Amino acid sequence: MSGKLVAKIGPSILNADLSNLTSECNKLVDAGADYLHLDVMDGHFVPNLTFGAPLVKCLRANVTRGTFFDMHMMVAEPERWIKDMRDAGADQYTFHYEATADPANCVRLVKECGMRAGVAVKPGTPVHVLDQLLDTVDLVLVMTVEPGFGGQKFMADMLPKVQYLRTKCPQLDIELDGGCGPSNIGQCGAAGANHIVSGSAVVSSPHPALVIQQMKTDLQRCLDSL
């Protein structure tokens, strides 16, 4: 494989102490997080409701300068929130393929706003629907749980989607989200994923820096052997 895929670990801040979020985010960055994964849910595309641009703007002003904000937009009509999230300080805007009637236009709008564009697919969505977008997106997020619900187990049967994407796009950033941790990081890397969202495995650990470093080392070792 030409070029080198870089392993990155992004903790999900929803698993942190939401009453003290700025401090929690800074602790994760200090522990070695490559980016922060921010889950935005609107109560429509998924049943749960989390936060919006005002909170992101507050975090941007107070979290360690230069921290990369990876927005996972579990929202209906994702086009509506692109400029708001850009203005709030988002770096990457990942929307769900299933949430928009025109994914290609959504990618275009995200890039026009100067953010990296990502597209996500739920477990029930065949990955080949993304074929026409692969030349334009910066990242594909493969969900390994159903979006919007906590406490689910990692769905290893989603890994063939990653293999399909890696074969077609050797240098594409491929992210996994849902139940990822030290116990399955090897499977994730062997399939070809190079960005891993990890929630409780990192955030609930008494030693998050050690967990992040272990996961990152194991993931990079797998990627280097592809």
Side-chain angles (χ1 to χ4, degrees), residues 5 162-163 166 172 174 187-195 219 223 226:
L5 292 169
V162 179
Q163 295 168 331
R166 183 57 67 212
L172 178 68
I174 302 174
Q187 292 176 270
C188 299
N194 63 313
H195 288 197
L219 182 61
L223 294 172
L226 291 177

Side-chain angles (χ1 to χ4, degrees), residues 103-197:
N105 183 57
C106 198
V107 171
R108 180 182 63 80
L109 293 172
V110 172
K111 292 199 164 188
E112 285 179 354
C113 279
M115 295 181 287
R116 278 173 49 100
V119 61
V121 287
K122 297 196 293 186
T125 301
V127 71
H128 64 76
V129 302
L130 301 179
D131 284 356
Q132 300 304 312
L133 300 175
L134 295 179
D135 289 337
T136 59
V137 296
D138 298 295
L139 172 141
V140 172
L141 166 56
V142 175
M143 293 298 300
T144 44
V145 297
E146 289 292 339
F149 301 92
Q152 300 176 71
K153 292 185 178 180
F154 176 77
M155 298 170 68
D157 55 343
M158 294 298 107
L159 295 179
K161 293 183 179 182
V162 179
Q163 295 168 331
Y164 174 87
L165 292 166
R166 183 57 67 212
T167 299
K168 290 182 72 69
C169 304
Q171 300 303 314
L172 178 68
D173 285 331
I174 302 174
E175 185 176 57
L176 292 182
D177 180 10
C180 300
S183 66
N184 52 39
I185 193 72
Q187 292 176 270
C188 299
N194 63 313
H195 288 197
I196 303 297
V197 176

